[in-house]
Each structure stands twice: as structure tokens, then as C-alpha cells.
């Protein structure tokens, strides 16, 4: 019954920490992330990483991105696709150069330095999604561009990771790059067809069933089915669940699904996801890695901010909006943690640097919500001023 107590502790601490964060003028997600650090091995050690926590966290992030898909304005996403691509590429090139240069300057091998650069290219917008949602900006032009850029970023980074581990990693050479790219093409082609034909059929079929919550069950089947299909073809599961949300968002069941999925998602699964990120923090083994940790954290934040921001600026956004988009791309989250584990297994990430890299990932995740809050505040004030003047 230990897992029951774990849920009680997580829910209690995340709600209190989220409330305190809002009282201090910050998004509640920041407090929830800090609650994970407090509860985890780094401080109180009341909650340890476990298969149970990982399972709930995985469901939480899938449902979080599913809701983001439900609330996404597809027309605006189509209109901003050029900006999304530019933001993604800018947010890959600068971190790649920055991470590689720092690692090489500190004496790491060329292969290890390239991997550190690649690690900084990753983006996980699940934290940004929650922060944007709290500020009612998820469906803004900036929010839509961040979501679109995250999809492009995931595809490019996964391909680059496969190339790097194939040619530089231990036991590499067995990855077919054309096959890898082909799988990505197949994924988006199948998802597009399924969204047009299969998803509406599933939802219409579900509504006819004489059982409780049939529509909600149909939506969850689509969400997890898309996520599994994505993982099977080498695309992040969160991209699949996001696509599922967009698909259902185009049906007449959108409001009903959104109304029913949000309570259980934000009550149970998402808090566990936030805490799971903090559980990865441990201060053992840092030793002489402090300089590396601080410098890499600074580079990780600045290169994403400027790289993503530059891509947005070059495609028509003003300076403030460009910085908002760059800030929304900073969080590396669970995507970078997965890449770090892959690098450790393939010999591209030294064991001595693993803890520092994990902490850098956590730092980028922690700074994203307050940065978005800070940058959106003047923008909202300007918009309200325009409204009052008119």
C-alpha cells in the first residue's frame, strides 16, 4: 500500500506548492516542480523514483499534450508553420554549437562534445504548455508556434541522435538513416489519414454504445493509440497524443472530451509528472562538475532563447513575441532525460558528467515558467491598454 501514501504526499505537496507559487506571482507549475525536488532524494527523500511513479508520469504527460492538442487552433497552426520550422531550426543550431564548444573547451572528446551539443537541442514543451494554459495563452499565435516548433524539433533531434549513435556510439553502425526518416514520413501520413477518417468513425461508434463514458473511452483509445504508434515508429509519444488531441478537436465531441478529461488529468496524473522531474535531482557525484554545470546551464538557456527567438523574428514576429517563443522552447524536460540515458548507454555521455547534465535539464525546466510569465506580463498589459483606448 506504499504507493497509496505516495499519491497522497504528491497531491498534498503539489497543490500547496502550486498555491504558494501563484501567491508569489509565479505560475503554479513552478511550485509543483520545486515540490518534486523537495520530496525527492535531493532533500526530504520521501518519494523515490519508481516504476509506479514513472507510469503515472508517462500517462500524465500524454494526457497533458492531448489536452494541448484539443485546445490548439489548427488554422493558426497551419498559418504559422513557417515560423514553427524556423524556430525549431534556430533552437537546434545555436544550442548544438554552444554545447559542443563548451564541452570541447573543457576537454571532452569530439564525440562526447557533439553529444552534449545534441542534448541541448532537445525541447520538451509539456511544461511550457501548462504555463501557457495557466496564462490563457496556449492558443495565442506565440503558443501555437511553440507547439508547432516542438513537433519539428522532436523529428530533427531524433534523426540526429540516431545518426550520432550509429556512427560514434558503442556498437553503432546498425541504424539505417533512410529507414529512420521513412518511419517519420509514414507516421505523419498515417496520422493524417487516421485523423480524417478513423478518428471521427471511432468517436461516432463510441457514442452509440450503451455503456458509461463511452465517448471519453473512445477519446482515450485514440490518445494512447496514437502515442503508442508514435513510439513504435521512433517518434515521441507526446507528439502522438498531441496529434490525437488535434484530431478529436476537429470533431463535435471536442468540448465534451475536454470537459471530462481535464479533471482526472490535473487531479491525479499531471501532479505526479511534475514531481517525477524533480526526483531526478541528486547532488551526489557533482564534485568538480560545478563549473561545467553552471556554464552549460547558461548556454542551454541563452542558446534556446536566442535561437528560437531569432527564428521567430525572421518570420515576422516582433521582438517581445520572439523572446516569448524562445523562452517557451527552453525547457528540455523528459525528452532530454531520455536522450541523456541513451547517450550514457552508447558511451557518448561520460558517467562523470551524467549527474551534471541531468541537473542542467532540471534547471532549464525550472526557469521556463517564470520566464514566460515575466515576458507575457508586459504583452498582456499592452493588449489591455489597446482595448481600453479603443
Amino acid at each position: 500500500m506504499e504507493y497509496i501514501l505516495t499519491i497522497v504526499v504528491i497531491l498534498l505537496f503539489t497543490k500547496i506548492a502550486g498555491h504558494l507559487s501563484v501567491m508569489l506571482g509565479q505560475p503554479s507549475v513552478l511550485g509543483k516542480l520545486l515540490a518534486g525536488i523537495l520530496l525527492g532524494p535531493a532533500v526530504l527523500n520521501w518519494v523515490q523514483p519508481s516504476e509506479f511513479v514513472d507510469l503515472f508520469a508517462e500517462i500524465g504527460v500524454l494526457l497533458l499534450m492531448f489536452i494541448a492538442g484539443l485546445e490548439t487552433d489548427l488554422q493558426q497552426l497551419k498559418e504559422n508553420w513557417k515560423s514553427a520550422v524556423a524556430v525549431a531550426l534556430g533552437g537546434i543550431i545555436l544550442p548544438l554549437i554552444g554545447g559542443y564548444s563548451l564541452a570541447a573547451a573543457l576537454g571532452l572528446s569530439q564525440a562526447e562534445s557533439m553529444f552534449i551539443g545534441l542534448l541541448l537541442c532537445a525541447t520538451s514543451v509539456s511544461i511550457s504548455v501548462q504555463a501557457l494554459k495557466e496564462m490563457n495563452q496556449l492558443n495565442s499565435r506565440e503558443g501555437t508556434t511553440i507547439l508547432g516548433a516542438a513537433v519539428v524539433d522532436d523529428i530533427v533531434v531524433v534523426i540526429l541522435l540516431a545518426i550520432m549513435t550509429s556512427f560514434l556510439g558503442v556498437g553503432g553502425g546498425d541504424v539505417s538513416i533512410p529507414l529512420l526518416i521513412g518511419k517519420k514520413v509514414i507516421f505523419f501520413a498515417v496520422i493524417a489519414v487516421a485523423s480524417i477518417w478513423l478518428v471521427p468513425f471511432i468517436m461516432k461508434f463510441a457514442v452509440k454504445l450503451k455503456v458509461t463514458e463511452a465517448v471519453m473511452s473512445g477519446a482515450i483509445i485514440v490518445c494512447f493509440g496514437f502515442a503508442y504508434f508514435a513510439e513504435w515508429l521512433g517518434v515521441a509519444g507526446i507528439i502522438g497524443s498531441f496529434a490525437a488531441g488535434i484530431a478529436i478537436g476537429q470533431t463535435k465531441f471536442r468540448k465534451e472530451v475536454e470537459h471530462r478529461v481535464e479533471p482526472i488529468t490535473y487531479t491525479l496524473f499531471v501532479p505526479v509528472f511534475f514531481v517525477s522531474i524533480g526526483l531526478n535531482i541528486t547532488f551526489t557525484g557533482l564534485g568538480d562538475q560545478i563549473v561545467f554545470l553552471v556554464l552549460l546551464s547558461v548556454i542551454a538557456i541563452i542558446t534556446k532563447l536566442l535561437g528560437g527567438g531569432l527564428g521567430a523574428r525572421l518570420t515576422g514576429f516582433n521582438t517581445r513575441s520572439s523572446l516569448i517563443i524562445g523562452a517557451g522552447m527552453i525547457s528540455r524536460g523528459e525528452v532530454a532525460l531520455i536522450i541523456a540515458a541513451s547517450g550514457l548507454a552508447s558511451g557518448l555521455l561520460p558517467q562523470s558528467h551524467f549527474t551534471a547534465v541531468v541537473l542542467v535539464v532540471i534547471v532549464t525546466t525550472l526557469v521556463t515558467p517564470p520566464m514566460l510569465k515575466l515576458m507575457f506580463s508586459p504583452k498582456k498589459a499592452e493588449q489591455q491598454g489597446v482595448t481600453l483606448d479603443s
Side-chain angles (χ1 to χ4, degrees):
M1 295 293 287
E2 192 71 26
Y3 66 93
I4 299 294
L5 180 59
T6 297
I7 291 177
V8 171
V9 171
I10 289 176
L11 293 183
L12 178 62
F13 272 74
T14 52
K15 296 307 176 183
I16 293 175
H19 173 74
L20 292 175
S21 184
V22 173
M23 294 292 289
L24 293 173
Q26 296 298 323
S28 68
V29 62
L30 177 61
K32 295 170 185 176
L33 290 169
L34 292 173
I37 299 174
L38 178 66
L39 291 172
V43 185
L44 297 176
N45 199 30
W46 288 357
V47 178
Q48 292 80 34
S50 65
E51 185 176 348
F52 164 74
V53 171
D54 289 343
L55 175 61
F56 266 56
E58 179 70 15
I59 295 174
V61 72
L62 290 178
L63 291 176
L64 183 62
M65 294 305 294
F66 177 64
I67 293 172
L70 282 171
E71 298 182 354
T72 295
D73 186 332
L74 189 57
Q75 184 59 37
Q76 191 168 115
L77 189 62
K78 291 177 181 177
E79 292 174 357
N80 292 322
W81 72 269
K82 291 182 180 178
S83 295
V85 172
V87 168
L89 294 180
I92 288 174
I93 295 171
L94 261 64
L96 183 61
I97 295 172
Y100 171 82
S101 301
L102 175 65
L106 293 178
L108 273 71
S109 69
Q110 184 175 11
E112 292 168 344
S113 299
M114 289 178 65
F115 183 81
I116 293 294
L118 176 64
L119 185 73
L120 297 193
C121 296
T123 294
S124 176
V125 296
S126 51
I127 300 301
S128 299
V129 162
Q130 179 62 16
L132 290 168
K133 187 174 174 62
E134 288 183 21
M135 295 183 286
N136 294 317
Q137 296 291 339
L138 184 59
N139 221 18
S140 64
R141 190 180 174 210
E142 293 89 351
T144 304
T145 301
I146 290 170
L147 287 169
V151 174
V152 178
D153 184 286
D154 175 73
I155 297 168
V156 176
V157 169
V158 167
I159 292 174
L160 290 176
L161 176 63
I163 294 174
M164 194 170 292
T165 53
S166 176
F167 292 105
L168 301 176
V170 176
D174 57 348
V175 177
S176 170
I177 305 305
L179 178 61
L180 190 75
I181 297 174
K183 286 182 176 181
K184 306 296 180 290
V185 173
I186 290 172
F187 168 75
F188 285 101
V190 171
I191 288 298
V193 173
S195 298
I196 296 172
W197 301 102
L198 182 60
V199 172
F201 171 79
I202 291 175
M203 298 306 294
K204 290 176 182 176
F205 174 77
V207 78
K208 296 177 182 177
L209 298 178
K210 305 299 183 183
V211 293
T212 57
E213 300 294 348
V215 170
M216 189 60 207
S217 297
I220 295 298
I221 289 170
V222 172
C223 173
F224 290 166
F226 274 34
Y228 179 82
F229 183 61
E231 290 281 357
W232 186 59
L233 288 177
V235 180
I238 57 175
I239 302 300
S241 62
F242 177 64
I246 291 178
I248 292 179
Q250 308 312 303
T251 70
K252 65 179 182 180
F253 303 100
R254 172 185 175 179
K255 289 295 183 183
E256 180 179 354
V257 171
E258 185 178 349
H259 175 71
R260 293 180 182 277
V261 75
E262 283 192 345
I264 185 63
T265 299
Y266 289 110
T267 298
L268 183 57
F269 293 106
V270 169
V272 178
F273 164 62
F274 290 142
V275 167
S276 71
I277 295 176
L279 297 183
N280 289 286
I281 281 200
T282 172
F283 300 116
T284 58
L286 271 183
D288 58 352
Q289 298 294 315
I290 298 299
V291 174
F292 175 75
L293 168 63
V294 173
L295 292 178
L296 192 63
S297 295
V298 171
I299 288 176
I301 294 168
I302 292 177
T303 53
K304 270 291 184 183
L305 180 66
L306 296 182
L310 181 61
R313 192 73 179 90
L314 292 175
T315 51
F317 285 90
N318 62 34
T319 301
R320 183 175 299 283
S321 292
S322 298
L323 290 174
I324 288 171
I325 291 170
M329 299 293 289
I330 289 175
S331 174
R332 301 326 197 264
E334 75 285 351
V335 175
L337 293 176
I338 293 170
I339 292 176
S342 173
L344 191 65
S346 62
L348 290 173
L349 179 62
Q351 177 68 51
S352 59
H353 289 70
F354 181 74
T355 298
V357 164
V358 169
L359 285 172
V360 170
V361 173
I362 302 298
V363 168
T364 63
T365 304
L366 287 173
V367 302
T368 299
M371 286 187 70
L372 283 172
K373 175 83 172 182
L374 179 66
M375 293 178 179
F376 257 118
S377 296
K379 178 180 174 64
K380 291 174 71 176
E382 289 173 8
Q383 292 172 339
Q384 290 170 356
V386 170
T387 304
L388 290 172
D389 290 342
S390 59

